[in-house]
Amino acid sequence: MIIRNHERIHADEENLCKKCISELEDLYSYLELSREELDLLDMPRRSFTVHFPVQLDSGKTKMFLGYRVQYNDARGPAKGGIRFHPELTLDDVRDLAFLMTLKCAVVNIPFGGSKGGVVVNPKELSRHELERLTRSYIRAISDYIGPYKDIPAPDVYTDEKIMAWILDEYERIKGEHTPAVVTGKPIELGGSKGRNYSTSLGGILVLEEALKKRSIRKQEVNIAIQGFGNVGENAARILHERGYKVIAVSDSKGGIIAEGGLDIPAVMKHKEQSGSVVDFAGSKNITNDELLTSDCDILIPAALSEQLNEKNAADVKAKIVLELANAPTTIEADNVFSDKKIMLIPDILANAGGVVVSYFEWSQNLNNDYWEEDKVLEKLEKIMVTSFNDVHALCQEENCSMRTAAYQLAVKRILYAERLRGNL
Ligand code: NAD
C-alpha cells in the first residue's frame, strides 16, 4: 500500500481522495512513484463547498449545498460535469474529478479534470425552481469557472437545457458572450454537432480496434448491452447500423434477449411507446443479472456503477467488456476478468468520446468556427483510435491489464506536465 511505503503527512487529511489513493496503490509497482509525485496526485488542487439560497414557488427561500472540485489542471483548464443528486457527497465529487483528470489525460486532450454538483433531488423541483437553483449555484461558483479555468458539462440529472441556463447566468455576470464556459449546450447556443452520441460512438471505435487486435470479425460476435439510456441506446443503434448483432439489451425494468439478434430500431420504437424494452415481440424477457452473464462475446455495461462484481464475475462469458458506464466493474471482478483473460476496455478510455467532443465544442466556441458533423466524427475517430493503440501498446509492453495501462499512461502525462511547470 502506498501509505505504508511512503510515510506521508498531509495538512488536510480530510481532503485526500480515497479512490485516487487506492488506484495509485495498484499502480505503485508499475510506476514507482516518488513521495512528491504521490503527494501531488492524491489531493485535489481546489475544492469548494458552497451554500446558496433558492426561492421556491411557495415564496419561501431554501438553502442548498453545492460542490466543485478541480482535481488537477496541469495539462489545461479543468473539465468536468455537474451532477444534481440527493445523495451527492464531496467524496463522490472528488473521486469523479480524479477520474475526469485521468480521462482527459489518457485521450491526450488539453484539459485537467473537475466535477461539481448540488445535493438535490431535481425531480422534486418545478422547472422554475430548477432554473433558479442552477442560476444560484452558478453565481456561487462563477469566480472559479471560465473557459480558461474550469468548464462544466452535463452529468447525472443535468442536461442541455440546464447547460443553457448556466451559459446565460455566467454571461449575465461577466457582461459578455462566453459560450466556451460550458459544454453540452444546445447546438443553437454553440453546442457541437455529434455531441449527443459521441460517448457511444467513441466506445465503438475503440471496440473495433480491440476486435482487430484479437482478429475477431464483426459477423462472429454477439453483443449484450446493459442500459438503454443515452449511452446504451445510441451504442445499440450505431452497432446495429454497422452490421453487428446485438442479442440482448436492458433498462431499469429488465432486459430482453433474441439469439438471432434484435431489430434495434424496432426496440427503440417499442421503448418509446411502452417506456421499456421489456416485452418486445419476438424476444425473451430476462433479468439484468441474466443479461450480464448471457452467452455473448462482447458485454457493454452502459447503466450504473459496480454492476460486474464478485457475485457475477465468474459467470461472465464475454471475451471483451467495454465499460461505457462509469466504474461498472469492481476491483474483485477486475481480478476475475484478468485471470480469465477477458479483455476489459476501461471506462476512462471507453467512454471518453463525450469529453473529446466537448473539447471540440470548446475549441469551436473559442474560434467562433463551427464544424460539420463529418469533421467532428473524423477527428473523434483519430483520437479514440490513437488512444486505444497507445494504451494497448503499453499493456503489451508492461504485461498488465488495459486498466492499469490506461491509468499509467494518464498519470505519466499529468506528472510530466507538472514537471515541465517546475512543480516536481
Ligand atoms: P441515462 O440516464 O440516459 O441512462 C441510464 C440507463 O440505465 C437507462 O436506460 C436506465 O433505465 C438504465 N438503468 C437504470 N438502472 C438500471 C439497472 N438497475 N439495470 C439496468 N439498467 C438500468 O444515462 P446515460 O447518460 O446513458 O449514462 C449511462 C452511464 O454512462 C452512466 O454510468 C454514466 O455516468 C456513463 N457516462 C455517460 C456519458 C454521457 O455522455 N452521457 C459519458 C460518460 C459516461
Side-chain angles (χ1 to χ4, degrees):
M1 206 169 125
I2 297 172
I3 295 176
R4 275 190 260 119
N5 287 326
H6 298 261
E7 190 192 320
R8 293 174 302 149
I9 301 161
H10 285 292
D12 184 9
E13 288 289 333
E14 284 272 291
N15 225 350
L16 282 174
C17 172
K18 292 168 199 78
K19 181 168 184 72
C20 155
I21 291 175
S22 101
E23 301 289 1
L24 292 173
E25 275 170 19
D26 287 347
L27 276 187
Y28 179 73
S29 59
Y30 288 96
L31 281 178
E32 305 239 330
L33 300 176
S34 68
R35 174 180 166 161
E36 287 77 11
E37 289 169 333
L38 285 166
D39 282 354
L40 195 141
L41 287 175
D42 65 17
M43 248 194 266
R45 285 301 169 87
R46 283 170 291 279
S47 183
F48 310 105
T49 299
V50 290
H51 296 91
F52 53 93
V54 178
Q55 198 183 41
L56 303 179
D57 292 346
S58 64
K60 292 212 167 97
T61 295
K62 185 174 170 189
M63 292 302 289
F64 283 86
L65 168 62
Y67 306 111
R68 187 77 186 163
V69 173
Q70 296 162 355
Y71 204 89
N72 187 288
D73 56 3
R75 291 173 41 84
K79 182 87 192 81
I82 289 179
R83 179 171 292 201
F84 287 172
H85 198 278
E87 276 138 39
L88 190 71
T89 66
L90 184 55
D91 276 351
D92 299 334
V93 179
R94 196 183 293 127
D95 290 350
L96 291 162
F98 169 63
L99 281 180
M100 279 305 294
T101 309
L102 297 180
K103 196 179 289 188
C104 293
V106 84
V107 288
N108 215 358
I109 56 175
F111 284 144
S114 58
K115 206 78 176 190
V118 177
V119 183
V120 61
N121 183 352
K123 291 178 186 162
E124 289 172 0
L125 299 183
S126 71
R127 186 185 183 281
H128 289 299
E129 287 170 337
L130 189 62
E131 178 174 347
R132 287 196 290 271
L133 174 118
T134 304
R135 290 181 183 275
S136 191
Y137 170 61
I138 292 306
R139 285 197 293 280
I141 62 166
S142 64
D143 278 347
Y144 313 109
I145 60 172
Y148 297 106
K149 287 185 193 170
D150 181 7
I151 306 136
D155 192 73
V156 175
Y157 292 152
T158 55
D159 56 14
E160 64 169 34
K161 172 187 70 196
I162 291 175
M163 299 307 114
W165 294 331
I166 292 177
L167 171 71
D168 186 69
E169 190 62 30
Y170 186 82
E171 290 186 344
R172 284 183 197 207
I173 294 166
K174 300 294 166 187
E176 60 188 22
H177 280 285
T178 322
V181 67
V182 62
T183 61
K185 302 179 289 289
I187 290 195
E188 294 74 10
L189 292 180
S192 179
K193 290 183 176 156
R195 170 70 180 83
N196 60 348
Y197 60 89
S198 52
T199 302
S200 314
L201 178 58
I204 291 165
L205 293 169
V206 297
L207 174 66
E208 293 192 325
E209 290 304 296
L211 292 177
K212 278 189 215 158
K213 297 282 179 225
R214 294 218 159 172
S215 307
I216 303 174
R217 291 179 323 125
K218 72 163 97 164
Q219 295 81 354
E220 291 167 14
V221 295
N222 289 336
I223 303 178
I225 304 175
Q226 185 197 38
F228 211 67
N230 177 297
V231 175
E233 180 173 329
N234 275 309
R237 176 183 61 76
I238 298 167
L239 285 163
H240 184 80
E241 282 166 8
R242 291 185 171 222
Y244 289 90
K245 188 160 78 171
V246 178
I247 59 159
V249 297
S250 68
D251 57 35
S252 57
K253 298 195 178 128
I256 51 173
I257 192 163
E259 273 141 33
L262 291 162
D263 176 356
I264 296 298
V267 176
M268 289 163 67
K269 205 177 231 176
H270 171 74
K271 171 149 193 187
E272 206 183 313
Q273 286 161 356
S274 70
S276 171
V277 298
V278 174
D279 290 335
F280 175 66
S283 72
K284 191 175 117 199
N285 286 343
I286 52 171
T287 64
N288 263 293
D289 275 346
E290 285 167 341
L291 178 137
L292 296 173
T293 56
S294 64
D295 205 359
C296 63
D297 304 290
I298 297 166
L299 177 61
I300 306 184
L304 309 173
S305 59
E306 301 189 347
Q307 294 299 292
L308 297 164
N309 47 47
E310 72 277 14
K311 290 192 200 127
N312 57 19
D315 298 324
V316 168
K317 299 181 188 65
K319 301 180 189 79
I320 297 177
V321 175
L322 179 73
E323 289 190 328
L324 287 188
N326 278 320
T329 312
T330 63
I331 294 171
E332 293 77 17
D334 238 356
N335 293 336
V336 174
F337 294 165
S338 287
D339 292 345
K340 289 174 73 178
K341 304 271 181 274
I342 293 174
M343 181 195 260
L344 182 140
I345 308 176
D347 49 5
I348 61 166
L349 171 64
N351 68 29
V355 76
V356 171
V357 176
S358 277
Y359 160 52
F360 298 160
E361 180 176 336
W362 174 79
S363 169
Q364 291 170 74
N365 296 151
L366 291 179
N367 293 305
N368 208 10
D369 173 23
Y370 290 88
W371 309 346
E372 288 309 321
E373 197 154 339
D374 284 357
K375 179 167 172 182
V376 173
L377 303 186
E378 191 187 311
K379 287 173 86 76
L380 173 66
E381 178 161 3
K382 194 161 177 216
I383 291 183
M384 296 311 295
V385 169
T386 305
S387 306
F388 177 89
N389 285 310
D390 287 349
V391 172
H392 191 261
L394 193 58
C395 161
Q396 302 289 101
E397 211 174 286
E398 301 276 349
N399 194 21
C400 62
S401 71
M402 291 275 288
R403 194 189 307 281
T404 302
Y407 272 67
Q408 190 173 341
L409 188 64
V411 165
K412 270 189 185 164
R413 285 178 176 157
I414 296 160
L415 292 176
Y416 189 52
E418 293 284 14
R419 204 161 292 124
L420 290 172
R421 286 172 177 274
N423 293 334
L424 283 170

